[in-house]
Each structure stands twice: as C-alpha cells, then as structure tokens.
Amino acid sequence: MVITSGKLRGNELVKHITALSAAGVKAIQLREKKLQAGDLLLITKTAISKIGNSDTKLIVNERLDIAILSRAAGVHSTSNGIENRYIRKFAPRMLSGKSVHSVNEAVKAEKDGYDYVLFGPVYKTPAKVKYGKPQGLKKLGEVCSSVKIPVFAVGGINPQRIKKCINAGAYGVAVIREFADTKNIKKAVKGFRKELGSL
Amino acid sequence: MKKIGRLYLITDTAIQKKYSHYQIAQFAVKGGADVIQLRDKTLSTSELIQTAIKIAALCRKHNVTFLVNDRVDVALVANADGVHLGKEDIPIKEARKLLGKNKIIGGTAHSLAEAKKCEHEGADYIGYGHIYPTKTKYKPEKPKGTEQLKLIVSKTGIPVIAIGGISPLNIKEVMATGVHGAAVVGSVLKSSNPLSTLKLLRKNIYDRKK
C-alpha cells in the first residue's frame, strides 16, 4: 500500500496515482489533508476514471462523503477518525481501515469491524514524529498476533525492512516516502516487488 | 421540512475561546436563532461528529434548523438538516446526491454570477457577503454594502442570507434590502452578552414592520 505524501497538487497528483497504479501498486491511500474538499473530490474522481479496470484500490483518508461520491474502494479512518458503524451505515460494502498505535487500539478496531489496520510507526520516520518513538518489530508482532484482520506496518519502511515486518506477522506494508518522488517510482517499485513478490 | 429562518448563527471557536460549539448552540436556541451552522476546520472527524450529534438533538428539541459547514458526511451521520458549502467545498450537485432533495444545501456567493450558479446547481439558499467590514474571516476584497446586496436579492430566486459584519446596529438596514435573513458570528460571539445581543438582533429583524 502506498500513502500519498500530501505534497503534489492537481494534475501532478492524478499523474502520480496513475503511475503507481500502472506500476502495479495494489492500494493507494489518498492522504491529502491540505486539499480542499472540492479539489480532493475532483482529483479522486479523475484518478479513478484513469486507473479504471486496474487492480488498484483507491482509499480516501477520512472523508466518507468524498469516498462515496468518487466511488473509491475504501475509506481510511485516522486515530480520531470516523467510526466504522457510520461507514457501514452509509457505505456498507466499502473497505474500511483504521490507524492504530497499540494492541488495545488494534483489538478495538477489529471489534468495531474495520477491514484492516495500519500499525506504526514501526521504524523512525519524519512523517510521524508526533506519535513519538518508533514502536519496533516486537510491538508489531504483538499487534499481529492479537487480531485476525490484516495489519499493515507503516513508518520508515524500505525494501530492506519488509521481510522483518512480514516475519513479525504483518500482512503488508504501507509506504509514504519511498514512493513520494514521482521520478523514482520505477526504482521504488522494483525494490519493493523483489521483497514482496507482488505489490 | 426545509425551513430556512432569518436569524442565522455560525458557531466559531477560532475567533473566540470563551464558548464551545455546544455552548454557543445553547445560547443560540435560547436567544431565538432560527438556524445554527456548525463550522470547525480543525476538529477531528470523530470529535466533529460527536459535537454535531449533540447540537442536532438540541436543535430538534427547539425546532431550530441545524447545518454543518463543509462536511457532508458529518451532516449525514448526525442527521443534520443540511450543509453549508463554500466555493472550495464539495460542489452543490454532488452534495445533493448524498443528501437527497429534502435536506438543505446552502451555497456561498460573492457576486451575482456566483449566486446564479448556486441557484442553478440546486442550492436552497445563498450566503452572500461580506456586507460590512469584518474581522471574523480574512477578506482581501472590499465589503459589498447594502446596494450590492439589494441587487443580488432582486436577481435571485432563492433566499439570500447576508453575512459579514452584521450587528444589532446595522441589521435593520440589511433587512430593508429585502434580504431573507442575516448570518452573524463575531457580533454575537465576541459580545459581552451574546444572549442579549442575539435577542436584540431577533427583535430588530422581526419587529421592523411594527
């Protein structure tokens, strides 16, 4: 899973999503907190029409209204984000994910009915400094063994660290930085594909 | 039922820290506001939903219209009466798909062309302004004034709510343009007695013809 960096605008962002999809990325989470809702809806709709029949699932951060209107595959709820019961009420078939930072939060997310969780930061990462120290592989392992739903490891993930996360029980990894540079997608994809098999 | 009243109060916790959204809603229903709009750009979704659900219950009890700014999803979840959308928010037509025809959708206009566009897209009312100088929002353009407002009102087929710098001192002049109603923020929330300011605004709106 690739999470967008929030640094690209308009058509550049659409192009980036299209390129990620073409490279075989299976899930892209649009985390664009600075975009106004109107722009975000337009970008999401345009990107979805461009990636069309590909295997890529587009997941909108936090805004259930935009996820529904753009016919996105999923919606992702941040720490204080939208509760799953509301997602189910208005979009029963939509994928729903939740960011968690502890075993308790992961167990609660599973109980609430989310389809998957993002756990992190596993490693040190500038994007998530506000969540404090990296949680490490041991904690990741604890989270993975306490829930049955897929756990994606997030935070400082690079190709060299993937196997360690998977061995700890992670279903997959979520990456921001390594895919943020539009000029480097091919190289990043190659590195990740080698470790993961598919993206 | 779509009921768009004349005295419209926006909860704003950025221009003042004394009152929470819910506290504002409490004195708004007491002071006779017809519409309450929850506006917050910083709260998390879950906090915004919790606040909206509480205010929606209060408004229902007092038969006050409750709108949510920008977040169509929050309006749906809280079963609010509708949304108010700015120019950068989800387009009116798109919001209508989610809310259906019975919910209220308000649009924002700063010109006649924008007002016409909102009307065309199916808005139930238009917020037009800013009429007078205001400190609530940063406004690089000059205030529109009441003459401009009168023009907008005469050329639009849906209710116009005037906004921007409206206080008990100038609200009679605003209403004299034939505008449907007025939205207030700073004049109430930063007044030493918000409840009495609201009551005075209400009196000045509804007692005009006596």
Side-chain angles (χ1 to χ4, degrees):
Chain A
M1 178 187 300
V2 171
I3 303 173
T4 62
S5 67
K7 284 174 186 150
L8 297 172
R9 287 290 163 266
N11 210 26
E12 289 297 308
L13 182 54
V14 173
K15 272 192 205 159
H16 191 56
I17 295 166
T18 317
L20 289 169
S21 170
V25 175
K26 292 266 170 58
I28 303 168
Q29 189 199 128
L30 271 161
R31 196 177 69 176
E32 298 292 331
K33 293 178 187 173
K34 284 182 189 148
L35 277 186
Q36 301 274 11
D39 284 341
L40 182 59
L41 176 60
L42 185 64
I43 287 168
T44 313
K45 279 181 119 177
T46 314
I48 286 173
S49 74
K50 294 216 167 167
I51 61 179
N53 297 323
S54 73
D55 289 339
T56 310
K57 288 184 167 62
L58 214 57
I59 297 163
V60 177
N61 212 34
E62 210 54 54
R63 294 284 306 232
L64 179 62
D65 42 9
I66 292 172
I68 296 172
L69 287 170
S70 64
R71 298 172 191 271
V75 65
H76 185 82
S77 172
T78 53
S79 295
N80 270 311
I82 187 159
E83 288 173 59
N84 194 50
R85 57 187 165 130
Y86 299 131
I87 299 173
R88 296 297 181 222
K89 186 173 174 189
F90 294 100
R93 284 185 299 273
M94 191 173 280
L95 262 180
S96 69
K98 176 81 188 167
S99 291
V100 298
H101 304 99
S102 67
V103 169
N104 283 346
E105 284 179 18
V107 170
K108 184 172 186 304
E110 181 176 48
K111 204 174 137 227
D112 289 343
Y114 287 100
D115 294 310
Y116 68 90
V117 292
L118 288 188
F119 172 78
V122 176
Y123 295 97
K124 197 177 160 196
T125 162
K128 288 286 175 187
V129 178
K130 63 172 177 166
Y131 291 117
K133 276 196 283 185
Q135 309 234 35
L137 288 166
K138 189 164 165 272
K139 198 81 180 288
L140 172 65
E142 285 167 24
V143 167
C144 294
S145 58
S146 15
V147 294
K148 292 191 190 75
I149 53 175
V151 176
F152 287 84
V154 67
I157 306 293
N158 60 33
Q160 295 77 45
R161 288 167 169 170
I162 290 174
K163 278 230 169 76
K164 290 173 188 161
C165 293
I166 302 295
N167 288 341
Y171 172 87
V173 294
V175 191
I176 304 175
R177 226 170 354 138
E178 300 263 322
F179 286 88
D181 185 353
T182 47
K183 294 182 205 93
N184 246 336
I185 291 178
K186 276 194 185 139
K187 193 181 156 210
V189 165
K190 209 175 155 196
F192 276 78
R193 197 191 290 278
K194 203 176 141 211
E195 294 298 321
L196 278 168
S198 74
L199 298 172
Chain B
M1 270 286 87
K2 290 195 194 184
K3 181 177 140 270
I4 301 144
R6 299 187 189 278
L7 181 55
Y8 186 127
L9 178 70
I10 301 171
T11 71
D12 191 318
T13 55
I15 59 157
Q16 56 80 35
K17 298 284 169 213
K18 206 167 158 190
Y19 309 105
S20 70
H21 291 290
Y22 189 69
Q23 285 172 322
I24 297 168
Q26 279 177 313
F27 63 65
V29 297
K30 220 185 259 177
D34 301 305
V35 184
I36 297 172
Q37 183 201 124
L38 169 64
R39 181 169 79 187
D40 194 300
K41 301 280 186 193
T42 55
L43 277 183
S44 70
T45 306
S46 139
E47 289 168 312
L48 194 60
I49 287 174
Q50 282 165 30
T51 308
I53 287 173
K54 271 173 73 182
I55 298 180
L58 181 73
C59 285
R60 210 162 294 132
K61 197 172 145 197
H62 293 268
N63 198 24
V64 168
T65 302
F66 173 51
L67 306 177
V68 177
N69 183 283
D70 173 30
R71 295 289 302 253
V72 181
D73 48 0
V74 173
L76 275 175
V77 167
N79 195 18
D81 298 301
V83 290
H84 182 85
L85 301 171
K87 287 186 277 184
E88 313 289 321
D89 296 338
I90 291 179
I92 293 164
K93 276 186 184 168
E94 295 276 1
R96 185 65 76 195
K97 291 184 200 164
L98 286 177
L99 291 168
K101 59 178 181 353
N102 293 328
K103 295 281 187 190
I104 296 168
I105 300 180
T108 303
H110 300 104
S111 67
L112 181 60
E114 286 172 8
K116 284 281 175 201
K117 187 167 176 268
C118 289
E119 186 178 355
H120 182 72
E121 289 183 0
D124 295 297
Y125 75 90
I126 293 157
Y128 174 77
H130 54 299
I131 310 301
Y132 300 107
T134 170
K135 284 182 193 155
T136 298
K137 274 191 176 183
Y138 171 68
K139 294 283 177 190
E141 328 90 60
K142 276 200 285 186
K144 310 291 182 200
T146 48
E147 279 310 305
Q148 238 351 80
L149 175 61
K150 206 185 272 180
L151 179 82
I152 300 283
V153 170
S154 69
K155 302 221 179 224
T156 346
I158 52 176
V160 176
I161 302 286
I163 185 166
I166 297 172
S167 74
L169 296 175
N170 56 26
I171 196 158
K172 283 186 180 170
E173 183 185 61
V174 171
M175 296 307 293
T177 62
V179 76
H180 179 79
V184 288
V185 194
S187 72
V188 170
L189 302 188
K190 291 204 267 190
S191 107
S192 56
N193 189 339
L195 186 61
S196 66
T197 307
L198 260 178
K199 285 182 175 167
L200 188 54
L201 282 160
R202 185 171 176 89
K203 188 170 175 291
N204 288 350
I205 290 178
Y206 287 97
D207 287 358
R208 275 174 303 138
K209 284 165 191 161
K210 284 181 190 168

